[in-house]
Amino acid sequence: MPSPKLRVAIAGLGRMGARHATHFHNLTPRAELVAASSPEAHELAWAEQNLDGVRTYLNYDDMLDQECAKGLQAVVIASATAVHSEQAIKAIKRGLHVLCEKPLSTGVERSQAVVDAYRESLRSFPSQKVICGFSRRFDASYRDAYEKLQSGMIGVPSVFRSQTCDKLDPSGFFVEYAQFSGGIFVDCSIHDIDLALWFFGEDSRVKSVSAIGITAVEEGLRKYNDRDNALGLVEFYGGKIAQLFCSRMMAAGQEDSTEITGTKGKLAINTQPASNLVKIYEPSGIRREIPPHYYGRFRDAFIAEANVFTACCLDDTPPPMKLEGAVNAVRIGVALQEALITGKKIEFDEQGNRIGETAKDQVRARL
Amino acid sequence: MPSPKLRVAIAGLGRMGARHATHFHNLTPRAELVAASSPEAHELAWAEQNLDGVRTYLNYDDMLDQECAKGLQAVVIASATAVHSEQAIKAIKRGLHVLCEKPLSTGVERSQAVVDAYRESLRSFPSQKVICGFSRRFDASYRDAYEKLQSGMIGVPSVFRSQTCDKLDPSGFFVEYAQFSGGIFVDCSIHDIDLALWFFGEDSRVKSVSAIGITAVEEGLRKYNDRDNALGLVEFYGGKIAQLFCSRMMAAGQEDSTEITGTKGKLAINTQPASNLVKIYEPSGIRREIPPHYYGRFRDAFIAEANVFTACCLDDTPPPMKLEGAVNAVRIGVALQEALITGKKIEFDEQGNRIGETAKDQVRARL
Amino acid sequence: MPSPKLRVAIAGLGRMGARHATHFHNLTPRAELVAASSPEAHELAWAEQNLDGVRTYLNYDDMLDQECAKGLQAVVIASATAVHSEQAIKAIKRGLHVLCEKPLSTGVERSQAVVDAYRESLRSFPSQKVICGFSRRFDASYRDAYEKLQSGMIGVPSVFRSQTCDKLDPSGFFVEYAQFSGGIFVDCSIHDIDLALWFFGEDSRVKSVSAIGITAVEEGLRKYNDRDNALGLVEFYGGKIAQLFCSRMMAAGQEDSTEITGTKGKLAINTQPASNLVKIYEPSGIRREIPPHYYGRFRDAFIAEANVFTACCLDDTPPPMKLEGAVNAVRIGVALQEALITGKKIEFDEQGNRIGETAKDQVRARL
Amino acid sequence: MPSPKLRVAIAGLGRMGARHATHFHNLTPRAELVAASSPEAHELAWAEQNLDGVRTYLNYDDMLDQECAKGLQAVVIASATAVHSEQAIKAIKRGLHVLCEKPLSTGVERSQAVVDAYRESLRSFPSQKVICGFSRRFDASYRDAYEKLQSGMIGVPSVFRSQTCDKLDPSGFFVEYAQFSGGIFVDCSIHDIDLALWFFGEDSRVKSVSAIGITAVEEGLRKYNDRDNALGLVEFYGGKIAQLFCSRMMAAGQEDSTEITGTKGKLAINTQPASNLVKIYEPSGIRREIPPHYYGRFRDAFIAEANVFTACCLDDTPPPMKLEGAVNAVRIGVALQEALITGKKIEFDEQGNRIGETAKDQVRARL
């Protein structure tokens, strides 16, 4: 008799949603994708063509209603960032397992609300799993580095340097996108921040952030308080520091790399990017191609994420990361974005409260 | 309504058989693994634990009998090399699609018999697909190199250099294995030979082979007419040459790399091997780990092979390689092994007949 | 008849001084090292053993007096940083060409005094050359990158990232040295700052600096207001930004690397450090060694520096860099060090004056 | 009092001769280049412009006559290969130290004559040094690899793989040059052969050679019994094997690399060629440039060669290599070239005599 599979629904079938749907449908042996919702009719049409046997819904709430009656166990939230937290909370309240794409929200308070809902729900559903999809944690290279770090190979991890740099999209798409993205530090660097928290320890507490940036190729970003290249510093309590770089302007492709320096050694991930193992020898020299997009670099990590999430739901094992970390990452990302625009260093006390700001500032920053 | 899946059985559940079974069971969305045979009871026990819903058989013929009645469409041959050709021919005669692990056989005539059976069978089953599983052809890097070569990027491909070099297994397993392997050129270099035929064109005709070798770590190989390190030269008609290196003695891990030089450029595959994207900085320098075994390097290629084979059977599209090439590869591998042991250069005329040997030699070499 | 050689004296025969002396004595065909001074008798003894025909002096002023009478043309200042500016000014006033090791001084005002003396002296000696020895500008890789940048290959250079990271010296020498070094940003990052000014344009004007740091291995540095790892941000007027990393804690060796990202491409220098072209394959993987020290990485650059300086003196061609840049580099390095210790962001107006500080702060910072 | 310098003359001022002259004149502190000879007036004119104080001669014998009277101590032979052995022998007979460019001759017997002359001369001049300029032995990377090998790092060196591959010169110069070069195995692979002898031990005795080749870009080479791409196998007594690749057709630049595999590890030299430490990121990927010519790759090795030769003459220390090895290298190179053209495997007994050839063949081969 075959083992039971995790019955999963997906919310959102845009670019990333369609990929998640495909991963759960075809490449996650222990999961069964049973339903998908999207407000876009053409996305549902795509699902009907490509996701055999999956029921489709124009409305997320309808999907929850009908599918819960049919034994739905888990939801993947891959919709627009603006509705992540709301959709996640609805699923949490029904006791469903949730894998929510990053970020939980572009605001700290709304992110925290997801955590609060989960904490509340755990009283009724103690086996419920809710995680935020920081895909890089499932990448084989990052996992290998993490295990080496945990083994003590580099001593005490002390200096973290990381970048998320996109290939230049000359269509300027990212200008319009900047209205909703939360800014380059929230959209791109959130991954690096999450990695810093992972490598330094999920309980790391931020002490200060500073940032500078420019609009080298897209002046239009300024009207949305964004930049196309930015550099940040993050200081943690306990003698740990981090340096971030995010950019929309890479020529060669997606360049996401990380270095973690400890007192006895260093681990570097993807500081020599390459699409594959081919080298091209030609009159101008020796060339390697690199992945043009984030998905090209991290496809296997997304598939691993789907499988790990499925296994932890089915087997009731601890989730691979704490949901609180996702709020912490948003807090730091939002603060970096504010530092980028105001030019001010932002400081936090050991309880995570901002130092030296007025009540009004606090409110504005946390929304 | 879900699309129909290809119903597949597997023969052999040893190390590679179990991997193939897992790929078809879990990672080939368009295939359904329905049955598995193995003469080893413990392997069948493994299948019952790990392959939900797959029927198991101690006897290959029984499997064919019973499963054909249930609509079996394809067989994967992953049993001991000694029975590859026999099992393949049985499946071919029933009109089943066949994916046979390399080599078809360690002998030229028995390899040719598979091709002959397939040619005969095609008259009755014109959509039948039979391929030999040269996994490297499905590796993303080799495919990328092949497409670049086909695009004319390097001009006329002229010099091929390739190696299949295993990490030293200090248990000496490969000494006993040498009795059955056909020798290092048939067991290891068969991959490189197949790649040479692919890159130079599947109709390439061998002109001569030469080889030298040593037993640097395992003197015991000599009693089976084998060596632990060997170097070969292969000349093709039409101005193309190849150089092979095979070894059982690598310290760092599996080192399989290929270079193809054309009149206008060169493509190199895996000349900088690495397990992943991690670099380790430590007092002795900067280190990268490499895959310890063949499967670690080529797992994704095996999965792609399963998916491509499945698609070409279901969609009745041309198979990804000609079966005749697999005989050609065995012919060259067997000749290299003979050259290695006798120290003689072996020459072929343009029709593929050996030049300057007695009838007796011919018979011996082709068995 | 042989061409006349540049008659050169050197001040200082410590570790770097002895190297400079050797370069001018043996590896600079158009120069003749005629004299050397050092307050250390054992260093003079070394010179007598190793520098055939070079006259030695315990006192710098004596050397200038006696050697000027014999036709001295140029002086290399490689003494302790504390006397750089004083010795340089003395030589400048005599009309001698000067190559002064970096930094001109650890203080801005004393550095500026060297520039002022040179400007004054040029009225009398219009062919006089005075440069500060930023050795990296003479490194073949940095020169190649600079020429590529100048050719427009990467568009408008916009984001500069650079690091000077020393191998951990477990003797703790660098703690005592911190008393005199000016701090890690002045001692190490001065090179990176100079490169930023070179790549962005020598007239670049700093807008702000921020920094954070830790003592991960040497708590004792705190008593000298220093850190063993530090990260800095530098903003320039005109939409250019820079990120610096300096460390005393590298495990593998000297890791000095630079990346300059433009609107159309990126140039990276030494992001894959290696001592030479050897790779070591061993059971733990594939390893490359890297230079243990700064000199191991930049020896050829120092030799090129000696030859370029000599040629520009003999041929009366423009010096390879402006002396003003050396003051600008010290200004930025000193500000970064202050930001590191105070935790405050430091801002400058377009004329280079600090914004928002009291007169007292200004005085303190410039000394 | 300055130490005495080695008084050196040079024969030949062509491309390589001019470089050697410059190295001894400017970059070898313990040597003094006193004279140069060339049958080409324009080359002497170059010397008068560029080699201050060096006396020039149209005739080699005149130079020896006049300069020996003035205390000449050493001669560098960098003339046309055809006169290497004759000029070397003349200098040897006068008791001069000799650094002779590779090869001693393109024939075995004439190469042996140099060794015989040296052996004879040593009776009268026991401190005399005569070496053949295998420049790669002075390359820092090859030296490092050699030291690591000597330390036992890779166990017993067993499989040697090496290539000398030139960038394609579309002028076709190398076709005309093929008349004099001795063929591609003597001209290019002689370096690799010398390295094999160095790494395997200078007393290694060749057992057999085989070779194949093509004319992929220059059919015209066939009239001089040469090829533009060739592959060779060399077997040594004692369980050691080597594989060679030589080419005139590289797109990217000079690609000279070597791998030496031992029973416990492997050393690879320049399997990732690069001109310098710069990487270029552009829309087509990440690119590194490589040296276009042999001299670009090995300039520092030539300079080291000049300095090491000078030191061993002045200090009467053992020469860095045995002259006999240069004859051994020519023997193997000539045999490979013969195997390339005849298609026959050539075998040697343990005394170095060819097996199975007629007396006539022997004579032809040794000339």
Side-chain angles (χ1 to χ4, degrees), chain B residues 201-271:
Chain B
E202 290 195 322
D203 298 326
S204 299
R205 283 156 298 126
V206 60
K207 188 175 175 191
S208 77
V209 305
S210 306
I212 55 178
I214 54 176
T215 48
V217 286
E218 282 294 354
E219 182 72 16
L221 287 167
R222 292 186 174 267
K223 70 171 174 283
Y224 302 119
N225 274 339
D226 209 359
R227 302 290 183 267
D228 52 27
N229 286 271
L231 301 170
L233 298 180
V234 184
E235 201 176 8
F236 293 94
Y237 282 97
K240 293 178 191 304
I241 51 179
Q243 193 184 53
L244 306 176
F245 174 31
C246 43
S247 174
R248 307 287 191 187
M249 193 175 80
M250 292 295 108
Q254 188 76 25
E255 287 186 44
D256 297 348
S257 62
T258 300
E259 284 184 5
I260 176 87
T261 304
T263 49
K264 293 186 179 163
K266 184 172 89 172
L267 293 161
I269 300 106
N270 199 34
T271 51

Side-chain angles (χ1 to χ4, degrees), chain A residues 16-80:
Chain A
M16 276 312 303
R19 289 167 180 162
H20 279 292
T22 302
H23 302 163
F24 275 92
H25 189 57
N26 287 335
L27 299 164
T28 309
R30 299 183 67 193
E32 182 187 2
L33 186 69
V34 296
S37 76
S38 165
E40 302 286 344
H42 73 272
E43 292 180 2
L44 295 183
W46 173 87
E48 273 149 35
Q49 283 292 316
N50 292 280
L51 305 172
D52 273 333
V54 172
R55 292 175 289 273
T56 57
Y57 298 86
L58 270 169
N59 182 283
Y60 176 72
D61 293 339
D62 290 349
M63 179 170 76
L64 288 195
D65 284 345
Q66 298 189 30
E67 294 296 329
C68 281
K70 291 176 176 152
L72 183 69
Q73 294 170 285
V75 175
V76 177
I77 313 276
S79 45

Side-chain angles (χ1 to χ4, degrees), chain B residues 30-78:
Chain B
R30 300 182 67 193
E32 181 188 3
L33 187 70
V34 297
S37 76
S38 166
E40 303 287 344
H42 72 273
E43 292 180 1
L44 296 183
W46 172 87
E48 273 148 35
Q49 283 293 315
N50 291 281
L51 305 172
D52 272 333
V54 172
R55 292 175 289 273
T56 57
Y57 298 85
L58 270 167
N59 183 283
Y60 175 72
D61 295 338
D62 290 349
M63 179 171 75
L64 288 196
D65 284 344
Q66 298 189 29
E67 293 297 329
C68 282
K70 291 176 177 152
L72 184 68
Q73 294 170 285
V75 175
V76 177
I77 313 277

Side-chain angles (χ1 to χ4, degrees), chain A residues 156 158-163 168 208 210-214 216-217 229-235 239-245 247 249-251 255 257 259 261-266 271-272 339 342-345 347, chain C residues 156 158-163 168 208 210-214 216-217 229-235 239-245 247 249-251 255 257 259 261-266 271-272 339 342-345 347:
Chain A
V156 181
S158 304
V159 182
F160 176 87
R161 303 170 73 223
S162 197
Q163 67 179 59
L168 177 65
S208 76
S210 307
I212 55 177
I214 53 175
V217 286
N229 286 272
L231 300 170
L233 297 180
V234 184
E235 201 177 8
K240 293 178 190 305
I241 51 178
Q243 194 184 53
L244 306 176
F245 174 31
S247 175
M249 192 176 80
M250 293 295 109
E255 287 187 45
S257 62
E259 284 184 5
T261 305
T263 48
K264 292 185 180 164
K266 184 171 88 172
T271 50
Q272 270 179 265
T342 63
K344 289 188 184 150
K345 181 175 183 174
E347 296 176 278
Chain C
V156 181
S158 304
V159 182
F160 175 87
R161 303 170 72 224
S162 196
Q163 68 179 58
L168 178 64
S208 77
S210 306
I212 54 178
I214 52 175
V217 286
N229 286 273
L231 301 170
L233 297 180
V234 184
E235 201 177 8
K240 293 177 191 306
I241 51 178
Q243 194 185 52
L244 306 175
F245 174 32
S247 175
M249 192 176 80
M250 293 294 109
E255 287 187 45
S257 62
E259 284 184 6
T261 305
T263 49
K264 294 185 179 164
K266 184 171 90 171
T271 50
Q272 268 180 265
T342 63
K344 290 188 184 151
K345 181 175 182 174
E347 295 177 277

Side-chain angles (χ1 to χ4, degrees), chain C residues 39-342:
Chain C
E40 302 287 344
H42 72 273
E43 291 180 2
L44 295 183
W46 173 88
E48 272 148 36
Q49 283 294 314
N50 291 281
L51 305 172
D52 271 334
V54 172
R55 291 175 290 272
T56 57
Y57 298 86
L58 269 169
N59 183 284
Y60 175 72
D61 294 338
D62 290 351
M63 179 171 76
L64 287 195
D65 284 345
Q66 298 189 29
E67 293 297 329
C68 282
K70 291 175 177 152
L72 184 69
Q73 293 170 287
V75 175
V76 177
I77 312 278
S79 45
T81 300
V83 298
H84 280 182
S85 58
E86 174 197 329
Q87 291 187 337
I89 290 169
K90 285 176 177 172
I92 287 168
K93 287 187 173 168
R94 287 174 185 258
L96 296 167
H97 305 299
V98 176
L99 167 60
C100 181
E101 250 296 344
K102 67 92 202 167
L104 292 180
S105 156
T106 56
V108 176
E109 295 208 344
R110 289 170 62 195
S111 299
Q112 183 60 43
V114 180
V115 174
D116 294 343
Y118 180 35
R119 283 190 187 146
E120 173 68 23
S121 181
L122 274 173
R123 296 189 199 165
S124 314
F125 309 104
S127 297
Q128 190 180 25
K129 315 295 175 194
V130 180
I131 66 173
C132 181
F134 284 113
S135 43
R136 265 173 242 192
R137 293 215 195 184
F138 300 94
D139 175 66
S141 296
Y142 278 105
R143 292 209 76 80
D144 182 36
Y146 181 74
E147 282 154 24
K148 287 180 162 62
L149 183 150
Q150 290 293 102
S151 77
M153 186 183 270
I154 63 165
V156 181
S158 304
V159 182
F160 175 87
R161 303 170 72 224
S162 196
Q163 68 179 58
T164 295
C165 294
D166 294 352
K167 188 175 170 81
L168 178 64
D169 174 353
S171 78
F173 160 78
F174 63 90
V175 180
E176 289 313 300
Y177 177 59
Q179 297 175 70
F180 313 106
S181 72
I184 194 166
F185 275 118
V186 174
D187 189 49
C188 293
S189 299
I190 196 87
H191 287 292
D192 306 292
I193 297 165
D194 176 65
L195 291 170
L197 294 170
W198 192 34
F199 285 134
F200 280 158
E202 290 194 323
D203 298 326
S204 299
R205 284 156 298 125
V206 60
K207 188 176 174 193
S208 77
V209 305
S210 306
I212 54 178
I214 52 175
T215 47
V217 286
E218 282 293 354
E219 182 71 16
L221 286 167
R222 292 186 176 268
K223 70 171 174 284
Y224 303 120
N225 274 340
D226 209 359
R227 301 292 181 266
D228 51 28
N229 286 273
L231 301 170
L233 297 180
V234 184
E235 201 177 8
F236 292 94
Y237 282 97
K240 293 177 191 306
I241 51 178
Q243 194 185 52
L244 306 175
F245 174 32
C246 43
S247 175
R248 307 286 192 189
M249 192 176 80
M250 293 294 109
Q254 188 76 26
E255 287 187 45
D256 296 348
S257 62
T258 300
E259 284 184 6
I260 176 88
T261 305
T263 49
K264 294 185 179 164
K266 184 171 90 171
L267 293 161
I269 301 107
N270 201 34
T271 50
Q272 268 180 265
S275 281
N276 56 30
L277 298 164
V278 176
K279 292 200 278 190
I280 305 154
Y281 291 59
E282 54 198 356
S284 58
I286 303 174
R287 179 163 59 93
R288 297 193 78 159
E289 295 176 338
I290 73 170
H293 298 302
Y294 187 86
Y295 185 68
R297 166 66 183 90
F298 289 107
R299 176 178 180 268
D300 286 349
F302 282 111
I303 295 169
E305 179 184 85
N307 282 275
V308 169
F309 171 71
T310 297
C312 100
C313 295
L314 285 172
D315 303 338
D316 193 13
T317 49
M321 65 256 277
K322 293 187 190 171
L323 193 60
E324 287 77 3
V327 182
N328 211 357
V330 171
R331 175 178 296 114
I332 296 170
V334 165
L336 278 163
Q337 191 71 19
E338 184 183 335
L340 173 67
I341 301 307
T342 63

Side-chain angles (χ1 to χ4, degrees), chain A residues 150-345:
Chain A
Q150 290 294 103
S151 78
M153 186 182 269
I154 63 165
V156 181
S158 304
V159 182
F160 176 87
R161 303 170 73 223
S162 197
Q163 67 179 59
T164 295
C165 293
D166 294 351
K167 187 175 171 81
L168 177 65
D169 174 354
S171 77
F173 161 78
F174 63 89
V175 180
E176 289 313 300
Y177 178 59
Q179 297 175 70
F180 312 106
S181 72
I184 194 165
F185 275 119
V186 174
D187 189 50
C188 293
S189 300
I190 196 88
H191 287 292
D192 306 291
I193 296 165
D194 175 65
L195 291 170
L197 294 170
W198 192 35
F199 284 134
F200 279 158
E202 291 195 322
D203 298 327
S204 299
R205 284 157 297 124
V206 60
K207 188 175 175 193
S208 76
V209 304
S210 307
I212 55 177
I214 53 175
T215 48
V217 286
E218 283 292 355
E219 181 71 17
L221 286 167
R222 291 187 175 267
K223 69 171 173 283
Y224 303 119
N225 274 340
D226 209 359
R227 302 291 182 267
D228 51 27
N229 286 272
L231 300 170
L233 297 180
V234 184
E235 201 177 8
F236 292 93
Y237 283 97
K240 293 178 190 305
I241 51 178
Q243 194 184 53
L244 306 176
F245 174 31
C246 43
S247 175
R248 306 287 192 187
M249 192 176 80
M250 293 295 109
Q254 188 77 26
E255 287 187 45
D256 297 347
S257 62
T258 301
E259 284 184 5
I260 176 87
T261 305
T263 48
K264 292 185 180 164
K266 184 171 88 172
L267 293 162
I269 301 106
N270 200 34
T271 50
Q272 270 179 265
S275 282
N276 56 30
L277 298 164
V278 175
K279 293 200 277 190
I280 304 154
Y281 290 61
E282 53 197 355
S284 56
I286 302 173
R287 180 163 59 93
R288 296 192 78 160
E289 296 175 337
I290 74 170
H293 298 303
Y294 187 85
Y295 186 68
R297 167 66 184 89
F298 288 107
R299 177 179 180 268
D300 286 349
F302 282 111
I303 296 170
E305 179 184 85
N307 282 275
V308 170
F309 171 71
T310 297
C312 99
C313 296
L314 286 173
D315 303 338
D316 193 13
T317 49
M321 64 255 277
K322 292 187 190 172
L323 192 62
E324 287 78 2
V327 182
N328 210 358
V330 172
R331 176 177 294 114
I332 295 170
V334 166
L336 278 162
Q337 191 71 18
E338 183 183 336
L340 174 67
I341 301 307
T342 63
K344 289 188 184 150
K345 181 175 183 174

